[in-house]
Amino acid sequence: ITVNPNVVPTFNPVAAICSGATAPVLPGTSTNGITGTWSPATVSNTATATYTFTPTAGQCATTTTLTVTVNPNVVPTFTPVAAICSGATLTALPTTSNNGITGTWAPALSNTTTTTYTFTPTAGQCATTTTLTITVNPNVVPTFNPVAAICSGATAPVLPGTSTNGITGTWSPATVSNTATATYTFTPTAGQCATTATLTVTVNPNVVPTFTPVA
């Protein structure tokens, strides 16, 4: 009486997949020629699972198992970018996230408009897309109340260091002339998202009164 030993079906390992990727189809025949069926019959693409292969009856073969690893998708993380003033220099966004995911950004950077950028990971990293918003603040024009004209030699006004809309800064020239009409330039203190502005102080010449001679 011949007693055949039971053969253990063998299978090539299945490469790990990312969650949500196309699940592999397990082979119905082992690498050493044993046919059979798997349980569960369908491979999950959302969770790591172990599948049992049951040989078709009459083959003198044992059951065996095969594990398919499903890696979770990682969300790339990035350090927030501080708001900038319109027209300011904007540094290129990093192509590697804080947690090691490489990829690319779209659309191209804008230093004039607030924009949300999408990061798409390079294929094969089990990572999701993510977004990053960079706020671009518009530049404010400082406003000032008009300065009343003065007479030549009168006390010159002192120009305010803060505009009527709250912008601080300095004037050039720093001192107002009381002898000639001049235009002064206001330069905002850095970091306020404001443009320069000008203000003219009119200095009227003194008029010498004239009279008709008395006969």
Side-chain angles (χ1 to χ4, degrees):
I1 299 174
T2 301
V3 178
N4 293 320
N6 287 317
V7 177
V8 178
T10 57
F11 295 89
N12 293 323
V14 175
I17 65 170
C18 299
S19 181
T22 301
V25 176
L26 299 180
T29 303
S30 68
T31 56
N32 54 347
I34 306 301
T35 60
T37 55
W38 292 94
S39 179
T42 303
V43 175
S44 170
N45 69 346
T46 59
T48 296
T50 298
Y51 302 86
T52 300
F53 181 79
T54 302
T56 304
Q59 294 179 94
C60 293
T62 63
T63 59
T64 192
T65 60
L66 186 65
T67 298
V68 178
T69 300
V70 179
N71 293 319
N73 288 314
V74 176
V75 179
T77 57
F78 294 90
T79 303
V81 176
I84 66 168
C85 300
S86 180
T89 300
L90 190 58
T91 303
L93 294 175
T95 55
T96 300
S97 69
N98 295 338
N99 52 347
I101 305 301
T102 60
T104 56
W105 291 94
L109 287 178
S110 169
N111 68 346
T112 58
T113 307
T114 296
T115 305
T116 297
Y117 302 91
T118 299
F119 179 80
T120 301
T122 304
Q125 294 179 97
C126 294
T128 64
T129 60
T130 193
T131 59
L132 182 67
T133 298
I134 299 177
T135 301
V136 179
N137 293 318
N139 288 314
V140 177
V141 178
T143 56
F144 296 92
N145 292 322
V147 175
I150 65 172
C151 296
S152 180
T155 301
V158 176
L159 299 181
T162 302
S163 69
T164 55
N165 54 347
I167 306 299
T168 60
T170 56
W171 292 94
S172 180
T175 303
V176 175
S177 170
N178 69 345
T179 59
T181 296
T183 297
Y184 302 86
T185 299
F186 180 81
T187 301
T189 304
Q192 295 180 95
C193 294
T195 65
T196 59
T198 59
L199 186 65
T200 298
V201 177
T202 301
V203 178
N204 293 320
N206 290 316
V207 178
V208 177
T210 58
F211 298 91
T212 301
V214 177

